[in-house]
Amino acid sequence: DVQMTQSPYNLAASPGESVSINCKASKSISKYLAWYQQKPGKANKLLIYDGSTLQSGIPSRFSGSGSGTDFTLTIRSLEPEDFGLYYCQQHNEYPFTFGSGTKLEIK
Amino acid sequence: EIQLQESGPGLVKPSQSLSLTCSVTGYIITSGYDWSWIRKFPGNKMEWMGYISNSGSTNYNPSLKIRISITRDTSKNQFFLQLNSVTTEDTATYYCARIGYGYNFDYWGLGVMVTVSS
């Protein structure tokens, strides 16, 4: 299975700041990485797929980059609603696998 | 609007079977796309469990292959998860999701928490 190493585990930032979350695959997954946001009481939200493609309806302050084994999710100008748990997931091969999650908290 | 909703018992005894239902509204599950189960363990680890395709074929995570079954009832627009011989390590929040273009998960249910305990 492809192991996904996500960092940092926790992240604290203030509204208006920019943050980055990293995801490293144990082998090349080409461009096939997705990012999700998870918040209590809400359905998980697909933010980015294919490494850098913004899902419909997602604000442009979210962006993804990377290919091969190293990927980054960047959130510019944090809004209060952006705080929550973020996961990466490789969708290059079965079984699909997820990173361990990053908790983005308000500083 | 596509919506998915999980339902099922919140408590299952060890060695028994866990059975969950995902009810889909806003999209016919035989129209296209594949339909998946994913779980999140205490401590936040996420695991893809398997899917049933719009044609009814299945694909399971090898780590679960001997214990898992995903089926569907097209008349009710539902699909199901059965996980046999559960242990306390199967305690998790279980999600159903649609596999969108490119094999990511574009629609999710809210999840249902299942505890395995005697």
Side-chain angles (χ1 to χ4, degrees), chain A residues 5-40:
Chain A
T5 303
Q6 190 173 335
S7 62
Y9 180 74
N10 278 317
L11 189 53
S14 301
E17 292 184 339
S18 294
V19 297
S20 292
I21 300 170
N22 301 302
C23 196
K24 187 175 185 68
S26 60
K27 66 178 193 180
S28 176
I29 56 171
S30 186
K31 64 178 181 178
Y32 300 111
L33 187 96
W35 291 97
Y36 301 89
Q37 180 192 66
Q38 191 172 87
K39 300 183 75 168

Side-chain angles (χ1 to χ4, degrees), chain B:
Chain B
E1 181 187 6
I2 299 170
Q3 292 189 321
L4 293 85
Q5 183 170 358
E6 306 88 349
S7 59
L11 181 64
V12 180
K13 293 188 186 316
S15 79
Q16 293 188 344
S17 293
L18 178 162
S19 296
L20 298 175
T21 298
C22 183
S23 301
V24 181
T25 55
Y27 194 87
I28 305 299
I29 63 173
T30 56
S31 295
Y33 298 102
D34 302 330
W35 304 88
S36 194
W37 288 96
I38 297 155
R39 61 183 177 176
K40 179 182 171 182
F41 298 101
N44 292 338
K45 179 185 172 183
M46 297 273 283
E47 180 180 56
W48 170 72
M49 301 180 73
Y51 72 74
I52 186 164
S53 75
N54 63 88
S55 63
S57 62
T58 55
N59 188 359
Y60 301 133
N61 191 320
S63 68
L64 297 168
K65 204 160 191 176
I66 60 172
R67 297 199 293 138
I68 189 174
S69 177
I70 299 176
T71 57
R72 65 182 184 174
D73 184 336
T74 57
S75 68
K76 294 182 178 178
N77 214 39
Q78 295 175 329
F79 64 103
F80 311 102
L81 170 70
Q82 182 171 318
L83 187 65
N84 299 322
S85 305
V86 298
T87 71
T88 55
E89 296 191 353
D90 294 307
T91 293
T93 298
Y94 287 77
Y95 299 92
C96 58
R98 191 181 83 165
I99 300 180
Y101 163 77
Y103 293 100
N104 47 72
F105 304 104
D106 60 354
Y107 289 93
W108 296 67
L110 293 178
V112 60
M113 187 178 298
V114 178
T115 300
V116 179
S117 175
S118 54

Side-chain angles (χ1 to χ4, degrees), chain A residues 1-91:
Chain A
D1 298 1
V2 180
Q3 304 303 314
M4 305 301 297
T5 303
Q6 190 173 335
S7 62
Y9 180 74
N10 278 317
L11 189 53
S14 301
E17 292 184 339
S18 294
V19 297
S20 292
I21 300 170
N22 301 302
C23 196
K24 187 175 185 68
S26 60
K27 66 178 193 180
S28 176
I29 56 171
S30 186
K31 64 178 181 178
Y32 300 111
L33 187 96
W35 291 97
Y36 301 89
Q37 180 192 66
Q38 191 172 87
K39 300 183 75 168
K42 293 194 171 184
N44 295 341
K45 189 180 290 186
L46 172 65
L47 304 172
I48 302 280
Y49 63 92
D50 289 354
S52 60
T53 302
L54 196 66
Q55 173 70 347
S56 175
I58 301 301
S60 59
R61 64 179 181 274
F62 291 89
S63 64
S65 63
S67 66
T69 60
D70 293 289
F71 298 83
T72 300
L73 172 70
T74 300
I75 313 171
R76 294 182 292 104
S77 301
L78 279 166
E79 297 283 345
E81 63 266 27
D82 297 337
F83 295 94
L85 193 54
Y86 289 81
Y87 287 94
C88 61
Q89 174 240 330
Q90 64 84 13
H91 54 106

